[in-house]
Each structure stands twice: as C-alpha cells, then as structure tokens.
Amino acid sequence: GAGVSQSPSNKVTEKGKDVELRCDPISGHTALYWYRQSLGQGLEFLIYFQGNSAPDKSGLPSDRFSAERTGGSVSTLTIQRTQQEDSAVYLCASSPRAGPLAGGQETQYFGPGTRLLVL
Amino acid sequence: GQQLNQSPQSMFIQEGEDVSMNCTSSSIFNTWLWYKQDPGEGPVLLIALYKAGELTSNGRLTAQFGITRKDSFLNISASIPSDVGIYFCAGQYTGTASKLTFGTGTRLQVTL
C-alpha cells in the first residue's frame, strides 16, 4: 500500500513568512510524528499525535511552531514568521499504534520529507 | 534535543569489507532501531530490537541490543555499493509518546 507522503517536497520562503507543511500518514495508522533534520544531523523530535489524545508538543522549539491533525489522519505543521535557522528537512512518520500497550506495533515509517529553505 | 552518541561519524571502506558501527546512550531504552537514509529520502527501517541482549539479523545486517539497554551495534557484512548512505540508530522508550531519539548518524562510503 501507499507509504507516508509529504508535500511540498521542497519549499523556499523569505524570512518572516509563514509556511505550512503537510503529511499524509499510512492509512489506518493512529500515531503520527513530526521530526526535524538539520543539515548533517540526526532527527530531532518535534510533536506527536496519538488518536484523539492531546498531542505531545514537548519537542517544538518555539511558539512559532504548531501542528494540527484533522480527523485522525492528515497533519499540518505550521511555522510562523520563519527564521533562517528554521531551514531543515521536516520529516513525518506514522505507526500503527503507540503507547505502553502497543507491543511491537510502534514501528515508525517515514515520509520523504519537506526541504525548507528560509532566505 | 537529546541525540545519541553514534560512531564512527563516517567510514570509507572497500566493497566486500565488513562494517561495524555503534550507538550509546546515557539513558535506557526498551527498543533500539537502526535506519538507513538515502539522499533525498526519509529513513527506512533496517532492524528493530525489542529485548536486552537480543541479536537480530536481516540479510547481511546484524544488530544487537546491549545488555545494559544503553547501547546497540550494527554490523554489515560483505559491503556492496548500494550500502552507501547514512545509518542512524534510534532509541525508543515505550511510554505515552514512544518518540524516537536518534543518533548523530554514520555516513558510509563504499569504494569499488
């Protein structure tokens, strides 16, 4: 079946503008994650959604970052008033389940990412 | 955010050689994962380890979950050109978030 998809694949914006990044998880996956990967670095956790529970926003670097997940499926990551240090690849992942009872169903499958460049 | 210590940072090896890389953490995990990332792509899961001491193989890849739950290694035997890429370890603590904590990556280059 289809994997995780993200759009746009590339985004160039000017400093101070807002951007929206979209993630379509694998159908039926209840958990959705956003990560950020700066050039030459590993992935940094941003935010996590599990079903209808309140999202875990502990990784968001500032209040300029927010995310929504509508209907338990598609998610949008919004960055307001972008700064040059926001330039990175933003990766989305989904998993069938998550949490202490998931028992091996937590494997996260990643999308190809959105490459954001803030000029 | 926290990142795991992964070494080596990069490797240049000849085709046919074996490769070994490892990952250490200051905190314990109950799942260790190894991912490979090709240029322009998201990470792809190679091996998942769920139990301390577990040794798991996937083709030419072998990974182990350290007894202390604070480390893991990945071996690649008889490397081939398509092994080129960046390899990331990731630790996961099953809890309310199950978020992954990633290593800093090992860039593998294979020469013919």
Side-chain angles (χ1 to χ4, degrees):
Chain A
V4 177
S5 60
Q6 293 185 244
S7 60
S9 54
N10 293 280
K11 177 72 176 178
V12 180
T13 191
E14 292 180 348
K15 178 181 172 181
K17 296 282 180 70
D18 298 351
V19 295
E20 280 191 357
L21 313 179
R22 177 187 167 107
C23 172
D24 285 84
I26 294 172
S27 178
H29 282 194
T30 62
L32 186 148
Y33 304 77
W34 283 97
Y35 293 86
R36 177 170 70 175
Q37 185 176 28
S38 299
L39 186 64
Q41 300 295 313
L43 283 72
E44 173 190 7
F45 168 77
L46 296 177
I47 188 170
Y48 153 79
F49 296 90
Q50 168 60 56
N52 295 321
S53 302
D56 177 347
K57 305 179 184 180
S58 60
L60 294 179
S62 78
D63 58 8
R64 295 186 296 103
F65 288 72
S66 63
E68 291 184 341
R69 189 178 185 194
T70 54
S73 181
V74 172
S75 177
T76 302
L77 177 69
T78 301
I79 308 173
Q80 296 179 309
R81 305 181 301 282
T82 52
Q83 303 294 312
Q84 289 181 330
E85 60 262 29
D86 298 336
S87 298
V89 177
Y90 290 83
L91 289 149
C92 174
S94 70
S95 67
R97 295 169 61 188
L101 301 180
Q105 291 291 306
E106 299 172 296
T107 301
Q108 294 180 27
Y109 299 88
F110 283 83
T114 293
R115 278 141 201 84
L116 174 66
L117 177 61
V118 182
L119 300 176
Chain B
Q2 178 194 5
Q3 286 193 332
L4 305 177
N5 293 317
Q6 187 172 343
S7 64
Q9 282 189 323
S10 63
M11 304 181 72
F12 288 83
I13 62 168
Q14 291 203 326
E15 183 177 6
E17 288 184 349
D18 297 344
V19 173
S20 184
M21 59 191 80
N22 67 76
C23 208
T24 59
S25 169
S26 57
S27 53
I28 62 172
F29 293 106
N30 53 17
T31 300
W32 278 95
L33 306 161
W34 285 92
Y35 285 85
K36 178 175 183 262
Q37 187 175 28
D38 292 326
E41 302 291 330
V44 174
L45 182 66
L46 299 175
I47 288 183
L49 303 155
Y50 299 107
K51 200 189 308 188
E54 179 182 355
L55 185 70
T56 297
S57 293
N58 178 8
R60 294 178 297 105
L61 277 59
T62 302
Q64 183 156 32
F65 190 143
I67 288 289
T68 65
R69 296 170 61 190
K70 293 183 178 181
D71 63 328
S72 177
F73 73 75
L74 174 71
N75 286 341
I76 306 173
S77 62
S79 58
I80 59 177
S82 62
D83 291 335
V84 166
I86 303 177
Y87 292 79
F88 290 101
C89 62
Q92 187 176 47
Y93 192 82
T94 307
T96 55
S98 300
K99 59 193 176 192
L100 296 175
T101 301
F102 278 84
T104 47
T106 295
R107 183 181 297 273
L108 180 63
Q109 303 268 42
V110 179
T111 58
L112 300 176

